[in-house]
Amino acid sequence: MKSAVVVFPGLNRDRDMLAALESIGGIPPVTVWHKETGLPDVDLVVIPGGFSYGDYLRAGAIAARSPIMQAIREKADQGTRVLGVCNGFQILTEAGLLPGVLMRNASLRFVCKTVRLKVENADTAFTRGYSAGQIIDCPVAHHDGNYFADSDTLDRVEGNGQVAFRYAEGTNPNGSLNDIAGVFNEAKNVLGLMPHPENLIEAAHGGSDGRALFAAALDQVA
Amino acid sequence: MSIPNDIQITADIVANHGLSSDEYEKIKQLIGREPNFTELGIFSAMWNEHCSYKSSKKWLKTLPTTGTRVIQGPGENAGVVDIGDGQAVVFKMESHNHPSFIEPYQGAATGVGGILRDIFTMGARPIAAMNALRFGAPDHEKTRHLVSGVVAGVGGYGNSFGVPTVGGEVEFDARYNGNILVNAFAAGLADTNAIFYSKAEGVGLPVVYLGAKTGRDGVGGATMASAEFGDDIEEKRPTVQVGDPFTEKRLLEACLELMATGAVIAIQDMGAAGLTCSAVEMGAKGGLGIELDLDKVPVREEAMTPYEMMLSESQERMLMVLSPDKEAEARAVFEKWELDFATVGRTTDDLRFRILWHGDEVANLPIRELGDEAPEYDREWVTPPAPAPLGDIPRMDVGEAVLKLLSSHRFASRRWVYEQYDTLIGGNSLQTPGGDAGVVRVAGHPTKALAFSADVTPRYCEADPFEGGKQAVAECWRNLTSTGADPLAATDNLNFGNPQRPEIMGQLVKAIEGIGEACRELEFPIVSGNVSLYNETNGRAILPTPTIGGVGLLPDHANMARIGFAAKNQPILLVGAPAAWGKHLGQSAYMKDLFERSEGAPPPVDLQHERRTGDFVRSLIRSGMASAVHDLSDGGLAIGLAEMALASGIGAEITALEGCDPVEVFFGEDQGRYLVTLSVDPQDEALDKLWQDAEEAGIFAPWIGTTGGTDLTLGAAAPLAIEDLRHSHEEWFPRFMSN
Amino acid sequence: MKARVVVTLKPGVLDPQGQAIEGSLGGLGFTGVSAVRQGKIFDLEVDATDAEDARSKVDSMCTRLLANTVIENYSVEISE
Amino acid sequence: MKARVVVTLKPGVLDPQGQAIEGSLGGLGFTGVSAVRQGKIFDLEVDATDAEDARSKVDSMCTRLLANTVIENYSVEISE
Ligand SMILES: Nc1ncnc2c1ncn2[C@@H]1O[C@H](COP(=O)(O)OP(=O)(O)O)[C@@H](O)[C@H]1O
Ligand SMILES: [Mg+2]
């Protein structure tokens, strides 16, 4: 399956993401610059992590208004898989493709460590490599990962099975409501998550729990 | 500051520029007239301690700086060391002490920004960072605020820029109450055939300004960095520099893209005294003059004077000499990244540094003399007095002492600090903070990795700067070795008090001698560095703190050692031990932290022994026999064992040593020792072979105990549950910071 | 024309910064402090024919970029 | 008593956020926008005997926590 990685100025985990997609999918992804207005013909669009525009104003806010976002929106509407990791998640919420917002961590500090995630919904194109309820390791590295939504939105997200991952008990690093670490859109073809599965895909990383996510998104699993 | 350029220069103005009257006379002699105000500013920037190294140069020259792998030693933005396969590691460490005391977040952030710029200016993509921090006593009123701001600033910049922070140091001591230390290290990877230097070549070529716009930030900053603080510190505040990691990240990408086009002839980042130092350096090194037209410089404030523009320390700026036929291509790269790009001058053949502004020539100075003729002092120095001899050793139960030390500010886990740093970005971090050295894989190579460590024990340096200097180098070398790396080369960041005091100068001289001796013996050359003097307030100097940052190469990270015990029932060897395992309590943490006593000589470093032992440990790691390795330093054997147990959750039982004093055994800080666990069965003959090899190498490597269980049992002392150790170890920092 | 935009969190939206600041103020010995909320301001200059025009331009900047209207309210003041 | 604190960067201090926002507004087609500077506000309630007392309390909160007076200015408004 073909994939594209969208690059905004200030993103910095683009190389990590390119390496992960290539190593798991076997094909180097296409890189798309934020000023472009169209996307190549791919099955998976990924917005990686980092600090687009320095995260100035609000994390992801400025990038969410870039020219390429219209094309991403259209692709998403057509059912193409879109994955936003960390800053990518923030960008997707700012752009309205995913519900809720990511606020400053409750500690007000940047946090980088490995947490445990509970796979909440394993019945989607992204998560079918895991089983529901499975606990996996995954690193986080962010300053604004505190998931918030008003109660109606939250009820809807919970009710529709839109929660993809939760921080396992006792490991919520940022104060997210309902321990939410990742959410889908209603159609489940758009996923945003704060943790970095791309940094846990081989023995040298100390584990490979992140692999299954990319393997599924790239149709490398049955 | 709208002082006219033709103002009469008075003795007061000269003094305010940090220049002595002799220095001013020398300036007049060199240029054959009185300087105007802008020229005086330029001289003050070039001739202050920070840029000219006038007090330290004589001694820095004695350091070993060459080696078979050294491509570039001190003198450029960073040192360059060959790591094979056409690649090099580029690294340096630099201080941002004074700015961080005044504005901890921005001071530390711009320190990180500055060192990263030094690295990518040379054509290298940064792959690792470290930070060595020293704060005042925990109970000093400013300390918590400074810790919080500095750590947030280091993280704020490095995380956003996108470099993994893989190591560092944090230490507290009342001697840093008025002068904290923020030493930032960065390393990058470059191809050996694509390293960029600051030496300009070719006459009539465009001098191009890149990056952020110039403001009044830090005007006079370099001068301040070289001045002692007094109570009037508030008044010395220049406009604080604010870091913009977003711009720096774009500058990195734009510079590397530009370098790949072949357009760059010379490049220099604008650090202290930005435009002045960078332009002079490029011209002087290339034997060329430089003419700058300040009307072309992108500015972000109105009515800036030439003086201000020449001394501005606005961050995220670069100066380049470009090949004229590539100017358009270069401009396109910078426009893509939305950075300022302006041709602000040209190279000339007359060796003059000429500044034009509003149609006038506002400065015209001999470019070589600005740097080469900077004063160089052979300052008076005295050998620092030896500390009082070590008195009686007070007793404490070994277990109680371990718990107390682990929960003290010195040994408490630094997790609160390093969890604020992105340690994983890049996907190549093999060892993150918490072990002996950070390790980062060389991307694209199947087996190679680089190890990084920053070390110094200031209380040793205070007691004996020569031995302390040696020890800093040896400990850094040992930390690299503990991962299995071959130590390659080092960078030094020499933080001291006022060099015009002979006893301080003596500390500097002796520490450099010690560093030099250790670097020579260990074949660990110094390839870059930084000197920070005048770290004192009201006549009270910091502890002498020569931080050593080292880099090592692991040929195959499959054979890499870590600090945590790997499994239970493994023999633990104390490699490099003296017959009594450990003895030296002078200047130990045991004496200092448990009894507030700081007498006695620091532990001496036998460099031949260091080398033999390190080489032996490395061979054990490479052979696959060593399953975990940790060097012993601060706190001795007890702390070393506790750290190995904590990193793994596996306990250990250490045999009681008959006839020895347990305090000396467990808390002595004898140098040149490693704890090594083995993956071989104790009955295996491999172990006999190991001891035979050790004996032949002249190394004592006693089997001191075995891993296993959930307690740490130190000789005859009552067992300590690892969970209790963990509680002690993890508790201090968060509690301190939340108060 | 000069404009000042004030962006505040909507009531009911969690404010981690405000909460943390309230805690720190307590820690510093300030008693009786409550309901701390943090917001943002933007000062800017905008070319406009008159105050009305300026306001409508700035208003549109707010909805399109400066405020995230899912969680934030904003107000605009025009001067000069 | 209610108080609003406005914290702005001192003139001359670099404001990377303001710059990035200015650039983004340009990208969104807003022309003639300049001098964008970002600041913070804090709304809070404080127990005080009168406006005078409230002001002096909040003033001290500003110097001790809310503003970084090395690079920021602040102003205090008291209401109710
Ligand atoms: N400021 C810091 N930034 C990142 N890591 C740090 C910092 N301070 C300490 N560490 C890490 O904490 C661990 C313990 O530090 P230290 O006791 O100085 O190690 P060592 O004795 O091996 O030199 C090391 O892994 C070190 O890299
Ligand atoms: Mg060590």
Side-chain angles (χ1 to χ4, degrees), chain B residues 435-437 453 455 475 478-479 482 563 630-633 643:
Chain B
D436 283 321
S453 182
D455 299 275
E475 186 178 344
R478 217 182 288 146
N479 275 323
S482 297
I563 180 174
H630 184 27
D631 71 304
L632 292 190
S633 52
E643 287 169 344

Side-chain angles (χ1 to χ4, degrees), chain B residues 271-436:
Chain B
L275 208 44
T276 294
C277 281
S278 55
V280 169
E281 198 146 315
M282 291 208 301
K285 279 199 178 135
L288 297 168
I290 300 266
E291 182 183 280
L292 295 180
D293 180 355
L294 296 186
D295 299 330
K296 306 262 174 60
V297 170
V299 290
R300 62 160 216 272
E301 289 184 68
E302 282 166 26
M304 287 191 66
T305 63
Y307 178 93
E308 291 168 328
M309 283 195 240
M310 292 312 292
L311 296 194
S312 163
E313 298 195 339
S314 291
Q315 301 287 300
E316 293 94 21
R317 302 180 302 160
M318 294 271 190
L319 207 59
M320 290 187 185
V321 175
L322 286 187
S323 160
D325 52 321
K326 300 256 169 115
E327 212 178 312
E329 203 175 332
R331 186 180 290 276
V333 169
F334 272 74
E335 278 167 3
K336 171 183 164 194
W337 290 99
E338 295 173 37
L339 292 161
D340 271 292
F341 178 104
T343 302
V344 296
R346 58 190 185 93
T347 57
T348 64
D349 63 359
D350 61 1
L351 280 169
R352 302 297 295 181
F353 187 37
R354 242 186 272 112
I355 311 294
L356 310 177
W357 182 67
H358 291 184
D360 290 334
E361 187 176 89
V362 292
N364 186 337
L365 297 170
I367 206 162
R368 277 230 157 108
E369 286 74 357
L370 270 170
D372 295 356
E373 292 295 325
E376 199 180 314
Y377 295 119
D378 184 0
R379 296 208 189 269
E380 193 191 328
W381 61 276
V382 294
T383 305
L390 184 61
D392 286 353
I393 304 298
R395 318 301 312 171
M396 189 183 281
D397 172 70
V398 168
E400 185 189 347
V402 170
L403 287 174
K404 278 201 167 143
L405 287 174
L406 277 183
S407 56
S408 72
H409 61 79
R410 191 181 311 279
F411 295 104
S413 165
R414 270 52 182 147
R415 184 184 304 280
W416 186 90
V417 174
Y418 60 70
E419 281 188 350
Q420 293 185 58
Y421 302 153
D422 194 334
T423 53
L424 300 171
I425 182 159
N428 293 310
S429 302
L430 303 180
Q431 291 200 41
T432 54
D436 283 321

Side-chain angles (χ1 to χ4, degrees), chain C residues 3-78:
Chain C
R4 168 166 285 189
V5 175
V6 175
V7 176
T8 50
L9 284 173
K10 288 187 176 166
V13 174
L14 171 84
D15 178 10
Q17 272 138 315
Q19 274 174 6
I21 288 163
E22 193 167 315
S24 305
L25 285 172
L28 287 172
F30 292 102
T31 53
V33 181
S34 61
V36 180
R37 307 279 284 172
Q38 179 167 340
K40 284 179 242 185
I41 65 158
F42 303 95
D43 288 322
L44 52 89
E45 286 172 31
V46 58
D47 290 349
T49 49
D50 55 23
E52 191 81 336
D53 181 35
R55 179 175 303 276
S56 99
K57 282 186 172 147
V58 175
D59 201 77
S60 144
M61 292 176 207
C62 287
T63 51
R64 291 191 56 203
L65 180 69
L66 298 179
N68 178 346
T69 51
V70 177
I71 50 165
E72 293 170 331
N73 291 325
Y74 66 90
S75 66
V76 177
E77 268 169 57
I78 305 288

Side-chain angles (χ1 to χ4, degrees), chain A residues 154-216:
Chain A
L154 200 60
D155 288 348
R156 211 170 55 240
V157 165
E158 290 282 359
N160 288 342
Q162 284 176 251
V163 177
F165 299 100
R166 269 186 235 282
Y167 300 109
E169 205 183 324
T171 70
N172 184 336
N174 52 34
S176 285
L177 278 183
N178 294 9
D179 298 321
I180 288 174
V183 295
F184 298 108
N185 64 344
E186 247 179 83
K188 318 281 186 321
N189 67 316
V190 179
L191 168 64
L193 74 164
M194 285 314 296
H196 288 285
E198 75 277 19
N199 283 150
L200 198 67
I201 58 164
E202 51 180 311
H205 291 157
S208 55
D209 283 358
R211 268 192 104 81
L213 179 79
F214 299 104

